[in-house]
């Protein structure tokens, strides 16, 4: 649809951050990468689709923020004094961010698709997508939803054990 093309039309590169297991630091890598890119003058967005543990809002100290609607969808939360990082996270939609989220396949997949298509990102140099651990339906849904767009690539986070 036109809205899907429009909301990601201003995003130049999309980068997935993945891992085969939990607790390896995907959210930390995503956050640090966003901060590093911002420090070089890039416009950066983070899409936190880690439905199991959306930790990026806390890492960026915006866990008490709320997302709002606009004509073209959800407005992301802008982070930092210069508002140079746009963030959308499932954490913003939970009443209590520490709550466990137990959703089954179709609902999770629909939310991921909505996150990809319904966030008004504006012009970004990079959109960093922080994914859940493992190789689940969420990854397939994310890649399928992003397939029409210019996917720069992926960072696979591993540990040495």
């Amino acid at each position: 649809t036109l809205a899907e093309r429009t909301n990601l039309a201003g995003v130049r590169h999309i980068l997935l951050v993945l891992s085969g297991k939990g607790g390896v630091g995907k959210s930390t890598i995503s956050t640090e990468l966003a901060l590093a890119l911002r420090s070089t003058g890039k416009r950066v967005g983070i899409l936190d689709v880690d439905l199991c543990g959306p930790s990026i809002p806390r890492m960026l100290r915006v866990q008490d923020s709320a997302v709002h609607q606009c004509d073209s969808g959800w407005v992301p939360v802008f982070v930092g004094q210069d508002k140079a990082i746009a963030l959308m996270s499932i954490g913003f939609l939970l009443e209590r961010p520490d709550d466990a989220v137990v959703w089954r396949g179709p609902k999770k997949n629909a939310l991921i698709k909505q996150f990809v298509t319904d966030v008004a990102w504006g012009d970004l140099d990079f959109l960093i997508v922080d994914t859940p651990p493992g190789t689940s339906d969420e990854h397939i849904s994310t890649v399928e939803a992003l397939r029409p767009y210019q996917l720069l690539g992926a960072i696979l986070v591993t540990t040495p054990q």
Side-chain angles (χ1 to χ4, degrees):
T1 69
L2 183 61
E4 289 178 35
R5 283 196 299 274
T6 308
N7 276 339
L8 283 174
V11 177
R12 292 185 52 212
H13 303 289
I14 300 171
L15 193 55
L16 293 175
V17 179
L18 308 153
S19 75
K21 66 193 233 38
V24 298
K26 281 180 308 304
S27 297
T28 301
I29 294 286
S30 297
T31 301
E32 292 295 329
L33 181 60
L35 292 168
L37 287 166
R38 183 187 78 182
S39 74
T40 66
K42 302 295 185 196
R43 292 163 304 182
V44 183
I46 304 175
L47 178 58
D48 182 5
V49 292
D50 187 350
L51 306 182
C52 309
S55 56
I56 292 182
R58 182 174 290 138
M59 288 182 181
L60 292 173
R61 296 190 183 126
V62 291
Q63 67 268 27
D64 296 325
S65 300
V67 293
H68 304 284
Q69 293 276 328
C70 68
D71 290 343
S72 53
W74 282 328
V75 178
V77 171
F78 292 92
V79 179
Q81 291 180 324
D82 55 359
K83 305 292 184 199
I85 296 178
L87 172 62
M88 175 53 86
S89 172
I90 179 67
F92 296 137
L93 306 179
L94 302 175
E95 280 187 39
R96 291 188 302 279
D98 293 329
D99 285 356
V101 182
V102 182
W103 289 350
R104 292 186 116 45
K107 192 169 182 181
K108 287 191 291 191
N109 297 341
L111 179 67
I112 289 169
K113 185 168 181 1
Q114 190 173 11
F115 264 25
V116 168
T117 58
D118 291 356
V119 177
W121 292 108
D123 290 332
L124 295 176
D125 295 306
F126 290 91
L127 178 61
I128 299 166
V129 183
D130 185 39
T131 65
T135 54
S136 62
D137 278 353
E138 287 103 305
H139 298 91
I140 295 168
S141 297
T142 303
V143 171
E144 287 294 318
L146 290 170
R147 183 166 291 181
Y149 308 101
Q150 185 161 357
L151 191 62
L152 173 66
I155 294 176
L156 187 60
V157 182
T158 61
T159 57
Q161 65 267 53

